[in-house]
Amino acid sequence: VFVGNINQSVESLVKTSHLLAPFPEAMIDSAFFDRFHAYVPGWEIPKMRPEFFTNQYGLIVDYLAEWAREMRKRSFADAIAGARILSVSLGKPLRWPLGCAPQDLVGRRVLQVRRRGKYLLLDLSQGLLLLHLGMSGSLRFAPQAPGLPAAGAHDHFDLVTSQGTLRLHDPRRFGAVVAVSGEDDPRARKLLDGLGMEPLDPASFTWARFAAGLQARRAPIKTVLLAGKLVVGVGNICASEVLFASRIHPATLACDI
C-alpha cells in the first residue's frame, strides 16, 4: 500500500516515518482509513509518539474505527444526495442477497445517507438500501468524471448514479447490500431491531436507559458492551479501556454495577 502511495522503499519509509504521521493532502480515499488495524502491528511501535497511546492498552483502535465509519458516510453523503440511479452492477455473491433485481432500483433517487451502528442506510425515493462492510469491505465514491476504473475481482457492487458511482470493494465478501421497502420491512427489522442506543446521539442515548439496561442483564459487563444490544459501537479494545479506567473487572455481572 505505501509503496503505491509514497515513492520510497519500504525500508526507507520504516526508518523515517510511521503509520500515524499526517497524511498528504492527496491521500483522501476513506477506504485507506479502514486499513489502520491491518498495518499497525507491522510497524515499530517505539518510533511512535506518546500521544498516540493511552496509559493502559496502547493504540485506541476502536475510536479510529468509529471515526472511519463516520468518514465513510460523510465522504459521499453530500455528493450522492439527490442523485438518480442509472444502473446497478453486482459481482460475486455477498453475505446476503440484494433482495431485488438490480434493474428495479434504476430511476430511484438517493435522498440521504444515514448511519445505524455499523450499517449505512441510503434512503431512496422508493425504499431503502442497507450497506454493511463486514470485515474487509470498503466504499469508494467517484464523480462521473473521471469516474472509477473498471470493476476488479473484489468489486461486488456498483451503484451508478447521475452524480457519480458508489462502489463496494470486499475481498472476503462478508459485507452486504440489501434493498428493502423501509425500516419496517421484515429483513430490515431483522438486521436493525436488535441494535442498541447510539452513544453519540442525545436523542437515542441516555444514562438512565443505559443504567436500566445494565440492571436487566446478568451477563458479564464486557459481554454486554460488545453485544451491541444495549449500546452500539463498542469494540473489544474500547470496552477494555473503559472497564480498566472504571476499575470494573470485565467478568463482573452487568446487573451488579
Side-chain angles (χ1 to χ4, degrees):
V1 170
F2 284 99
V3 172
N5 287 302
I6 300 175
N7 191 24
Q8 300 180 41
S9 68
V10 173
E11 292 79 7
S12 174
L13 198 59
V14 169
K15 291 177 182 178
T16 59
S17 65
H18 55 70
L19 182 60
L20 297 184
F23 291 125
E25 289 186 5
M27 197 178 290
I28 59 174
D29 187 351
S30 63
F32 178 81
F33 302 144
D34 295 335
R35 299 298 173 250
F36 276 165
H37 66 281
Y39 293 104
V40 166
W43 285 70
E44 294 184 49
I45 298 301
K47 291 182 180 293
M48 294 188 182
R49 298 197 301 271
E51 56 263 38
F52 292 131
F53 294 83
T54 70
N55 292 328
Q56 292 89 31
Y57 286 92
L59 286 166
I60 315 175
V61 177
D62 288 318
Y63 301 141
L64 290 173
E66 181 69 12
W67 170 77
R69 279 194 292 271
E70 187 66 18
M71 283 296 295
R72 272 195 299 271
K73 185 193 76 174
R74 296 187 183 189
S75 67
F76 71 91
D78 291 340
I80 203 172
R84 184 169 59 88
I85 298 175
L86 303 179
S87 67
V88 177
S89 301
L90 302 180
K92 295 178 182 178
L94 294 167
R95 184 176 183 180
W96 303 305
L98 178 61
C100 71
Q103 58 267 27
D104 291 346
L105 299 175
V106 174
R108 302 184 190 184
R109 290 196 175 272
V110 180
L111 303 181
Q112 65 174 341
V113 180
R114 298 180 286 135
R115 184 168 66 87
R116 182 72 176 98
K118 294 183 179 180
Y119 291 92
L120 289 177
L121 283 63
L122 273 66
D123 290 307
L124 306 179
S125 54
Q126 178 186 346
L128 177 72
L129 284 180
L130 298 171
L131 282 76
H132 195 290
L133 300 184
M135 295 180 66
S136 62
S138 61
L139 288 173
R140 187 176 181 185
F141 180 81
Q144 285 185 315
L148 293 173
H154 301 305
D155 297 325
H156 304 302
F157 177 81
D158 274 8
L159 185 73
V160 182
T161 77
S162 57
Q163 295 170 196
T165 299
L166 180 66
R167 171 173 292 172
L168 172 62
H169 176 87
D170 189 1
R172 300 185 69 179
R173 290 192 285 132
F174 290 146
V177 181
V178 181
V180 295
S181 59
E183 291 184 67
D184 290 334
D185 187 294
R187 289 170 298 164
R189 297 194 63 176
K190 182 178 180 180
L191 299 175
L192 302 177
D193 276 5
L195 297 179
M197 299 178 287
E198 291 282 349
L200 302 181
D201 181 1
S204 173
F205 181 89
T206 68
W207 287 109
R209 291 179 61 191
F210 182 69
L214 293 181
Q215 292 300 305
R217 289 167 167 80
R218 292 190 54 81
I221 178 59
K222 185 173 182 181
T223 301
V224 171
L225 293 176
L226 294 178
K229 295 181 179 180
L230 177 57
V231 62
V232 297
V234 181
N236 184 52
I237 296 177
C238 184
S240 296
E241 285 271 6
V242 169
L243 295 174
F244 185 93
S246 303
R247 300 298 188 264
I248 298 174
H249 193 283
T252 302
L253 297 182
C255 60
D256 290 338
I257 297 175

